[in-house]
């Protein structure tokens, strides 16, 4: 909870822009004028003075050769920094060969923490320090790390390799056949290793390797044979006797399918973008490869005896559908049976993984138009079953897909298969299910996510649920509704119970609930009219303005432009500002005065993309109180006043007479007499804004 005595908008000392580093800035012995740490000095057999004078590379090698684990870890954490210090050429000619000999070919070095750091630090070097076309020398080190027994080391090495592979071309002075031959050889060595660890990593790098061949290998002699070898390698991994290897193949199957199909976007991105059926465009040759070579792998892994393999394979169904260009006939025969089996799998983990990606899977099937109504209906029946699953984790995962499914199926399928189960989900005993349902219902009201549900459907199906959620015992559920209820602000005039619940929640114990109510009140004024605001909402509004928590008060400040656009200048002057003026005059806390001044200044800001038109009397009242605050005894109040005058100056609402006759002289006088540097800075900014 924020400190109730500190405003969230308290002025901070102005800082010059800072440089963002990809790793920690130079420190310790690598920085001039610093003293080496005692731990580092004790770990090396040399004096402190000699240590301070050591070149970066020598210091790095000395630390790595030390018997102190702490010193070696510290050295590896600074690997990318050492590379920056010695430059690209020395990194490639000295540092990388040193690492290759001492790490890649050193079977005794089994310190997993150092190897994990090495895999990550090598990734930081490319492409900033080492250009992509010169990064091939890093691959032997990473290949060695791909065979390490520790899982996190292998995963980080695979991640780094996958980041480097797309950068190897264009450019580079390669020998004939490189880097293609090296990538193929690395994949074959890992996939053909005796121990399962290397095979697990091989499945992880095959998608990026195949995509590289697809992107740059056209026209090369033997390119088709190389791609065929890569597909055979993946097939062999998917049929390996070791469950860990099959699990890795299942995990990366989706990306491998997308690589073979030549897709530049993931299946999720394709479906979420709303692209029509037939996209992405997949060539007939690639579609044939997916259909006849990869679908059997998908079907075999989806029927594996290990549920840890099945759950990863079934969740790749969306990639298979997109890899066949969302051809409804093919997906009905090859993918839908697997989805049907996944929804009914005896393992709840399989159903859970499928539920998490169900909207992507459904969108990849290509069931659009009257011809495929029966298939689409079957898919929605599967989804309805997941929403009613016995396991709460499955229900919660499925609920998150409701908005996307409503967009895919339209209002009719939503009302037939999803709406009937919503009341049961809204009363679910598990809070996580209710929380996710509250969130996804509001997503159904967001046109950028779902635009198929009419206002009548929202009122009929959602209104009772919203009423229950606002009275939920958990604030998290309430907040999911409150923070997004503005999406249906035009319907609040027909939701009396919802409005009454909102008014009661203005006194909630949880400050985030009070903040959400404060942000919602201007939308209630828009829906019910300013007379309703004056009669029912003004008292909650003023209480929120006086709240002890800064973020709650800021909700009213941020809502002033919206309230002004709804009510107009005259109403604001008559019904709101007299209360604010009284608060300012009677306050004993500078925080209250700051809140009032910010509220006045906010009236000059835009409401969204629309600029409010302020009357001359209202502008004069705003300027008067800001000028008064400029003479306050507390520096923070003067700072906020100067900032507010800057907002008024650039708003275009002031005429030249007021600017040059009152605002500029007052800011100039404050700039000359002010002792607080922050206040002077804000006065200077306000004057520059006017100019």
């Amino acid at each position: 909870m924020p400190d109730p005595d500190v405003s969230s908008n308290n002025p901070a000392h102005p800082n010059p822009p800072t440089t963002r580093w990809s790793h920690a800035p130079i420190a310790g012995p690598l920085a001039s004028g610093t003293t080496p740490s005692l731990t580092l000095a004790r770990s090396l057999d040399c004096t402190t003075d000699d240590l301070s004078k050591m070149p970066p590379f020598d210091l790095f090698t000395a630390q790595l050769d030390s018997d102190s684990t702490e010193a070696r870890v510290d050295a590896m954490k600074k690997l990318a920094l050492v590379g920056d210090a010695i430059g690209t050429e020395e990194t490639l000619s000295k540092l990388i060969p040193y690492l290759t000999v001492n790490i890649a070919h050193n079977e005794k070095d089994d310190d997993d923490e150092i190897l994990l750091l090495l895999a990550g630090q090598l990734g930081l070097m490319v492409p900033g320090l080492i250009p992509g076309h010169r990064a091939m020398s890093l691959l032997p080190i990473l290949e060695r790390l791909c065979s390490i027994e520790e899982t996190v080391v292998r995963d980080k090495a695979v991640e780094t390799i996958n980041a480097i592979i797309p950068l190897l071309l264009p450019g580079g002075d390669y020998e004939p056949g490189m880097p293609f031959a090296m990538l193929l050889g690395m994949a074959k060595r890992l996939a053909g290793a005796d121990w399962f660890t290397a095979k697990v990593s091989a499945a992880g790098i095959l998608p990026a390797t195949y995509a590289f061949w697809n992107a740059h290998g056209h026209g090369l002699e033997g390119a088709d044979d190389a791609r065929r070898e890569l597909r055979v390698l993946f097939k062999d991994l998917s049929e390996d006797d070791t469950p860990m290897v099959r699990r890795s193949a299942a995990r990366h199957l989706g990306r491998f399918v997308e690589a073979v199909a030549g897709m530049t976007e993931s299946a999720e991105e394709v479906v979420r973008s709303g692209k029509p059926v037939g996209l992405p465009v997949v060539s007939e040759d690639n579609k044939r490869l997916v259909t006849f070579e990869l679908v059997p792998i998908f079907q075999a892994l989806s029927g594996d005896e290990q549920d840890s393999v099945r759950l990863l394979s079934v969740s790749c169904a969306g990639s298979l559908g997109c890899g066949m260009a969302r051809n409804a006939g093919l997906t009905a025969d090859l993918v839908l049976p697997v989805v049907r089996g996944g929804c009914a799998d005896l393992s709840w983990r399989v159903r859970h993984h499928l539920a998490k990606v169900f909207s992507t899977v459904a969108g990849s099937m290509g069931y659009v138009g009257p011809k495929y109504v029966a298939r689409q209906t079957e898919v929605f029946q599967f989804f309805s079953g997941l929403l009613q699953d016995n396991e709460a984790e499955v229900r919660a995962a499925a609920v998150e897909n409701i908005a996307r499914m409503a967009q895919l199926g339209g209002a009719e399928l939503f009302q037939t298969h999803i709406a009937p189960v919503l009341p049961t989900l809204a009363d679910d005993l598990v809070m996580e299910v209710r929380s996710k349902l509250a969130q996804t219902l509001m997503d159904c009201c967001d046109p950028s996510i779902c635009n198929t549900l009419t206002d009548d459907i929202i009122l009929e199906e959602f209104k009772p649920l919203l009423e229950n959620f606002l009275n939920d015992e958990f604030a998290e559920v309430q907040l999911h509704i409150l923070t997004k209820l503005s999406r249906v602000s035009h319907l609040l005039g027909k939701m009396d119970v919802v409005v009454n619940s909102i008014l009661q929640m203005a006194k909630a114990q949880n400050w985030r609930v009070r903040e959400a109510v404060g942000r919602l009140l201007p939308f209630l004024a828009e829906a019910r009219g300013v007379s309703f605001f004056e009669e029912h909402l003004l008292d909650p509004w003023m209480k929120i303005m006086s709240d002890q928590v800064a973020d709650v008060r800021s909700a009213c400040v941020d809502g002033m432009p919206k309230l002004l656009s709804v009510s107009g200048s005259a109403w604001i002057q008559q019904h709101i500002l007299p209360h604010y003026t009284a608060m300012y005059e009677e306050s004993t806390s500078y925080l209250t005065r700051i809140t009032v001044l910010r509220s006045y200044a906010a009236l000059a800001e835009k409401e969204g993309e629309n600029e409010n038109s302020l009357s001359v009397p209202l502008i004069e009242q705003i300027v008067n109180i800001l000028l008064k605050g400029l003479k306050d005894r507390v520096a923070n109040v003067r700072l906020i006043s100067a900032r507010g005058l800057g907002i008024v100056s650039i708003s275009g609402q002031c005429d030249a007479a007021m600017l040059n006759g009152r605002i500029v002289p007052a800011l100039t006088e404050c700039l000359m007499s002010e002792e607080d540097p922050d206040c002077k800075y804000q006065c200077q900014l306000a004057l520059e804004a006017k100019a």
Side-chain angles (χ1 to χ4, degrees), residues 309-423:
V309 177
R310 296 199 306 274
L311 64 88
L312 292 169
S313 177
V314 168
S315 60
C316 296
S319 298
L320 269 295
C322 289
M324 293 184 285
R326 295 198 279 179
N327 183 300
L330 292 176
T331 58
D333 294 335
L334 303 175
V335 180
L336 189 60
V338 175
V339 175
R340 184 185 298 114
C343 291
D345 198 283
L346 295 178
S347 171
W348 72 268
R349 297 201 302 159
V350 175
R351 303 194 305 273
H352 176 241
H353 268 68
L354 181 57
K356 287 196 295 186
V357 297
F358 198 88
S359 60
T360 299
V361 173
S364 71
M365 296 293 185
Y367 303 146
V368 176
K371 183 179 178 181
Y372 299 105
V373 170
R375 294 295 188 188
Q376 187 74 309
T377 300
E378 186 178 5
V379 170
F380 269 75
Q381 288 172 345
F382 297 157
F383 182 64
S384 179
L386 293 174
L387 290 174
Q388 302 172 75
D389 197 273
N390 292 329
E391 296 293 336
E393 289 86 351
V394 179
R395 297 196 301 273
V399 158
E400 290 186 285
N401 290 266
I402 286 178
R404 297 287 179 188
M405 291 298 293
Q407 178 67 15
L408 288 172
E412 183 177 350
L413 286 173
F414 173 84
Q415 288 191 288
T416 304
H417 300 285
I418 297 178
V421 305
L422 294 181

Side-chain angles (χ1 to χ4, degrees), residues 78-394:
K78 293 184 172 67
L79 175 59
L81 185 59
V82 172
D84 281 346
I86 66 178
T88 301
E89 297 304 326
E90 285 201 43
T91 297
L92 291 171
S93 61
K94 294 174 61 177
L95 182 57
I96 299 303
Y98 172 83
L99 293 172
T100 303
V101 172
N102 290 273
I103 302 296
H105 297 154
N106 183 6
E107 298 295 336
K108 296 181 180 180
D109 197 338
D110 56 356
D111 193 323
D112 293 332
E113 184 177 6
I114 291 176
L115 299 179
L116 175 62
L117 289 169
L118 173 62
Q121 290 289 310
L122 290 176
L124 293 179
M125 292 183 175
V126 184
L129 174 65
I130 301 176
H133 62 269
R134 303 183 68 182
M136 199 167 68
S137 57
L138 276 60
L139 294 181
I141 304 175
L142 293 167
E143 181 181 346
R144 157 78 171 94
L145 298 180
C146 283
S147 302
I148 298 298
E149 189 166 349
E150 179 57 45
T151 303
V152 292
V153 177
R154 297 199 310 270
D155 289 347
K156 179 57 71 171
V158 168
E159 178 186 331
T160 301
I161 289 175
N162 288 338
I164 290 176
I165 286 177
L167 304 176
L168 293 175
L169 288 176
D173 186 16
Y174 293 113
E175 296 179 5
M178 290 294 179
F180 300 95
M182 184 176 190
L183 293 178
L184 180 60
M186 179 173 63
K188 292 169 68 173
R189 286 191 296 273
L190 290 174
D194 295 332
W195 194 235
F196 78 92
T197 54
K199 296 181 179 181
V200 168
S201 299
I205 69 168
L206 280 175
T209 304
Y210 198 99
F212 184 83
W213 274 90
N214 255 358
H216 304 289
H218 294 292
L220 288 179
E221 183 178 354
D224 291 339
D225 292 336
R227 284 193 285 267
R228 186 181 302 108
E229 279 192 81
L230 293 174
R231 296 195 300 273
V232 170
L233 289 178
F234 195 90
K235 182 176 184 296
D236 292 341
L237 293 173
S238 71
E239 297 172 348
D240 196 89
D241 293 336
T242 309
M244 288 81 78
V245 178
R246 299 200 304 275
R247 185 161 61 239
S248 181
R251 175 181 291 111
H252 300 288
L253 175 61
R255 289 178 48 240
F256 192 72
V257 169
E258 292 162 5
V260 172
M263 295 168 55
T264 57
E265 295 178 298
S266 68
E268 182 179 4
E269 291 170 340
V270 170
V271 174
R272 292 205 171 203
S273 64
K275 292 181 178 178
V277 172
L279 294 178
V281 176
V282 179
S283 69
E284 288 300 321
D285 289 340
N286 289 343
K287 190 189 301 184
R288 193 177 301 109
L289 292 176
V290 171
T291 304
F292 292 104
E293 294 191 25
L294 300 187
V295 167
I297 296 176
F298 167 68
Q299 293 171 333
L301 292 175
S302 299
D304 195 274
E305 61 182 8
Q306 298 282 335
D307 66 345
S308 59
V309 177
R310 296 199 306 274
L311 64 88
L312 292 169
S313 177
V314 168
S315 60
C316 296
S319 298
L320 269 295
C322 289
M324 293 184 285
R326 295 198 279 179
N327 183 300
L330 292 176
T331 58
D333 294 335
L334 303 175
V335 180
L336 189 60
V338 175
V339 175
R340 184 185 298 114
C343 291
D345 198 283
L346 295 178
S347 171
W348 72 268
R349 297 201 302 159
V350 175
R351 303 194 305 273
H352 176 241
H353 268 68
L354 181 57
K356 287 196 295 186
V357 297
F358 198 88
S359 60
T360 299
V361 173
S364 71
M365 296 293 185
Y367 303 146
V368 176
K371 183 179 178 181
Y372 299 105
V373 170
R375 294 295 188 188
Q376 187 74 309
T377 300
E378 186 178 5
V379 170
F380 269 75
Q381 288 172 345
F382 297 157
F383 182 64
S384 179
L386 293 174
L387 290 174
Q388 302 172 75
D389 197 273
N390 292 329
E391 296 293 336
E393 289 86 351
V394 179

